[in-house]
Amino acid sequence: MKILAIESSCDETAAAIVEDGKKVLSNVVASQAEFHAKFGGVVPEVASRMHAECISQVVKAALTEADCSLSDIEAIAVTYAPGLIGALLVGVSFAKGLAFSAGKPLVPVHHIAGHIAAVYLSSDLTPPFLAVVVSGGHTSLVDVRDYTDFRVLGRTTDDAAGEAFDKAARVMGFPYPGGVYVDKAAKIGNPTSFRLPKPQTTGLNFSFSGLKTAVVNTVHTASQRGETINTNDLAASFQKTVCEILTEKTLQAVSELSYDKIAVCGGVSANSGIRDAMTKICEENGLKLFLPPLCYCGDNAAMIGAQGFHEYKSGTFADDYLNAFATREL
Ligand code: KG4
Ligand code: ZN
């Protein structure tokens, strides 16, 4: 069963054809990142316009690469929430029009559920398990009871992990999106050079704004004093602190659930320090770790096709009134 999936929640216009929720026949991603880089972050109106410009070509390319026509497609899955509202509306409107004209069922997919489903594409992972979702807009611990049954155990109370990476990167002089540059710098830096604060949050919630501000203040104070900072050391210290925050809460959550499987997903799960730190705690605690390959960490439509398959099987279909939502619970 082939699903055509569409994702446009932020600055990637993406379309994919996924068979039976598992086999990726095509996965086309048109990233706008370089256009937003000069502004130091995503400009929502520019993102919406760029999605509108290229969505037809991206969907056509996904069909062509998969050697499919619309008649081979069983259903159309689309990200309807959460994200930038104008950006989401482009994908949702396009998918609605296509589903209507081709007479195909339309399956709405939550973006976070999509990030979690990315892990199914490359592993034999099955629910239940604990998902650690770390992206540019979200940081959540999710009890995945079944493919379409989620319970959010904790989330960030301020910035997402990726936001903290990108802001820290910016003050260190790296281009947007800076997470990957911090990752590279951290590899050659000394992680014990800077003492950075770890937030005290209740339960399984996260907080990254204090850590982000500490990095910003460290750089500004040094520049006011005319001192130079070793960026690699600061990046390594920052990344080590993020890893500690994530691994501590992950262990707390998994012990509360008594699960033995953890999936780490979302754009920030591409971070090598986080992958290593999660691998270490899982080895030490007899837990099985599932990580998506790098191509499925960031926003893509293959993950929407994977989750779309499970939503389809559980009978979740959109009616003619499907709308997009900037915020929406999983
Ligand atoms: O999942 P994603 O593509 O978009 C959202 O749903 O938000 O995540 C994008 C985020 C950005 O903040 C980006 O800097 C971060 O993922 N990121 C990384 C790395 N690669 C991407 N952060 C840290 N280390 C990386 N290697
Ligand atoms: Zn995402």
Side-chain angles (χ1 to χ4, degrees), residues 80-266:
Y80 76 103
L84 300 172
I85 191 64
L88 285 164
L89 280 167
V90 176
V92 166
S93 304
F94 189 92
K96 282 179 84 165
L98 198 58
F100 175 73
S101 57
K104 308 282 176 187
L106 183 62
V107 180
V109 176
H110 192 286
H111 185 73
I112 299 301
H115 272 303
I116 295 170
V119 188
Y120 305 139
L121 292 170
S122 56
S123 73
D124 57 2
L125 175 66
T126 52
F129 60 90
L130 171 72
V132 184
V133 186
V134 275
S135 74
H138 308 272
T139 307
S140 308
L141 290 165
V142 182
D143 176 3
V144 184
R145 295 183 284 205
D146 207 339
Y147 290 105
T148 57
D149 183 5
F150 306 97
R151 186 166 60 104
V152 177
L153 307 167
R155 59 169 67 75
T156 184
T157 52
D158 41 52
D159 293 347
E163 232 173 314
F165 263 102
D166 293 342
K167 298 268 169 58
R170 179 147 76 169
V171 77
M172 289 181 211
F174 296 123
Y176 170 86
V180 68
Y181 297 97
V182 173
D183 192 352
K184 279 192 191 133
K187 283 200 177 109
I188 45 173
N190 175 359
T192 57
S193 303
F194 292 89
R195 278 176 65 88
L196 297 169
K198 259 200 290 179
Q200 300 301 316
T201 49
T202 53
L204 293 169
N205 287 328
F206 296 99
S207 165
F208 291 99
S209 82
L211 173 61
K212 171 197 74 183
T213 305
V215 172
V216 171
N217 289 346
T218 302
V219 174
H220 287 170
T221 306
S223 99
Q224 279 158 10
R225 290 182 182 154
E227 297 165 1
T228 48
I229 270 199
N230 184 320
T231 304
N232 298 331
D233 289 350
L234 184 58
S237 304
F238 166 78
Q239 189 167 294
K240 175 179 132 298
T241 311
V242 173
C243 290
E244 285 171 5
I245 295 169
L246 290 173
T247 51
E248 279 166 24
K249 294 285 180 185
T250 298
L251 281 178
Q252 193 184 328
V254 83
S255 76
E256 284 177 22
L257 293 171
S258 309
Y259 289 166
D260 62 354
K261 291 182 284 190
I262 297 179
V264 186
C265 53

Side-chain angles (χ1 to χ4, degrees), residues 7 12 14 27 29 115 118 121 295-304:
E7 151 68 40
E12 261 95 28
N27 186 28
V29 181
H115 272 303
L121 292 170
C295 62
Y296 299 141
C297 289
D299 289 348
N300 66 86
M303 67 186 198
I304 303 303

